Amino acid sequence: ATAGGVVAVFGLTSILLPLKSRLVGRHGQASVLAPLALLCAGALAAMAFLAWSDSAPAPAYLALGIVAGLGAPPLGPAMRSTWRTITDASSLKQRAYRLDSVCEESLCLIGPLLVGVILSVASPPAAQLAAASLMLVGTLGMVWMPPARQIRSPGSSAPLRFDLGPLAAPGLWLVAAILATAVGLNMAFTSIAARAQTQGLPGAAGYIEAAIALGSIAGGLLWGRRRHTRTHFTHLAGLVGVLAIGIAICAAVTSLTVLGALMGVMGLAIAPLFVVSYLAADELAPEHQQTEASTWVNTANNIGSAAGASVAGLLIDRASISVGFAVGGVILGLTSVLIWLTHRSIEAKSGTCEAV
């Protein structure tokens, strides 16, 4: 219960990621990311030492979870800002974002694997110390690279305001589309866990999610090699539609092997979906707000993921696992249709989202 509470409060602080990205754009990566990483790593390490002492009350862990969440640096958006600078005036930005998305998907495989290896030879607090160390070393290494030190937003001298920022730009309802997509996807992921549990094979859910991650990695690599002629919103509608069809089919599947194969194929669309979303956010937002716009894509995904898991849990308890899959598919299908119906007016207003 305490561990679940720590994860919850850590997740809730993700709503502050856009503000932290705005600070990165204003003051530079080294000035913001390094102190945040130190704060986050310190809180994680403190939790590990409390666990070794085995005497701390639950509120102490919850407080440290909040501190760690407040300090969690917006590494993904900052890295995409670096890629954006490196690939400026070239056609390589899509390939760079593809690499970024593929790396993020790879972490879903590598991170749990590293934890498993550490737990087999040491203790859970040792695994948490390793996580804190990797995050701190990785962040410091990133901000000390020459491109990161040179990046500073054109709007860095403007006053720091607490407003909608890039969300006020035409077309950045894209964030709502990503949130809805995350709701549908995570309803499916929760339903997978429930399906495996009811068949007495709860560990199979991990293998199925690994298949999804592998499919996403393959999809990201293949997507970047193609030359695209349609607009970002057209791509987004199609990719969400593919996910909707895949999840709807899964509602009628009971075999875990078949479910894993279907979800693996469906995963081909996940990394490309984020590549397209990041590219669209870049073109829709003003130049000095591009990093923050990218962060809103991640924040919407985080919030939608939490909401989708909660809704799926209620549906599975009160109805059935198939209903959890089906409702997730319907949400994705409606999102795809709405993107398709509105994309032309948004593109006309913003004058962006050109084909790549």
Side-chain angles (χ1 to χ4, degrees):
T2 301
V6 171
V7 172
V9 296
F10 185 93
L12 286 173
T13 60
S14 67
I15 194 66
L16 297 176
L17 280 174
L19 177 60
K20 287 187 274 190
S21 291
R22 193 178 299 189
L23 290 172
V24 171
R26 179 181 173 86
H27 299 292
Q29 293 188 13
S31 299
V32 178
L33 296 183
L36 287 175
L38 285 167
L39 179 63
C40 184
L44 293 175
M47 264 192 276
F49 287 118
L50 285 181
W52 262 317
S53 71
D54 198 25
S55 60
Y61 289 103
L62 293 173
L64 287 171
I66 293 173
V67 173
L70 292 174
L75 296 176
M79 176 58 76
R80 285 187 290 278
S81 177
T82 302
W83 284 127
R84 196 180 303 124
T85 301
I86 294 173
T87 60
D88 188 36
S90 77
S91 60
L92 296 176
K93 183 164 69 171
Q94 177 168 274
R95 292 192 178 188
Y97 282 6
R98 174 203 68 182
L99 178 62
D100 181 86
S101 294
V102 166
C103 285
E104 288 191 9
E105 289 298 326
S106 299
L107 298 180
C108 296
L109 295 173
I110 298 171
L113 176 62
L114 285 175
V115 170
V117 170
I118 295 173
L119 291 180
S120 67
V121 297
S123 63
Q128 187 151 346
L129 278 178
S133 301
L134 286 169
M135 190 268 292
L136 180 59
V137 172
T139 302
L140 295 179
M142 173 181 157
V143 301
W144 284 339
M145 295 295 288
R149 293 203 305 269
Q150 296 166 5
I151 292 175
R152 183 66 63 86
S153 167
S156 60
S157 60
L160 183 63
R161 296 189 180 93
F162 297 92
D163 52 25
L164 290 176
L167 293 182
L172 268 167
W173 60 267
L174 164 75
V175 169
I178 294 299
L179 188 149
T181 300
V183 169
L185 274 176
N186 278 271
M187 289 185 72
F189 295 159
T190 304
S191 299
I192 289 170
R195 183 78 77 193
Q197 180 73 29
T198 58
Q199 296 190 23
L201 297 168
Y207 294 113
I208 295 174
E209 293 196 15
I212 297 170
L214 286 172
S216 180
I217 291 169
L221 292 173
L222 292 171
W223 186 265
R225 297 186 66 84
R226 293 187 67 247
R227 186 172 184 83
H228 304 285
T229 57
R230 295 180 176 85
T231 66
H232 297 323
F233 279 99
T234 302
H235 286 148
L236 191 62
L239 290 166
V240 175
V242 168
L243 295 173
I245 293 170
I247 290 175
I249 293 173
C250 288
V253 174
T254 56
S255 168
L256 294 179
T257 302
V258 175
L259 186 61
L262 283 172
M263 295 296 285
V265 172
M266 186 201 73
L268 289 168
I270 294 178
L273 184 146
F274 282 99
V275 172
V276 171
S277 299
Y278 295 142
L279 289 168
D282 273 0
E283 294 184 359
L284 290 166
E287 184 179 355
H288 67 282
Q289 294 178 332
Q290 287 175 334
T291 300
E292 187 179 345
S294 172
T295 311
W296 275 112
V297 172
N298 293 126
T299 301
N301 181 61
N302 293 341
I303 295 172
S305 297
S310 300
V311 172
L314 292 173
L315 287 174
I316 291 167
D317 285 344
R318 298 183 180 184
S320 68
I321 297 171
S322 294
V323 170
F325 276 117
V327 173
V330 168
I331 290 173
L332 288 166
L334 290 174
T335 302
S336 175
V337 171
L338 288 173
I339 294 171
W340 176 255
L341 291 177
T342 57
H343 78 284
R344 292 191 183 280
S345 63
I346 294 298
E347 289 163 5
K349 289 179 183 178
S350 62
T352 57
C353 287
E354 300 172 355
V356 176

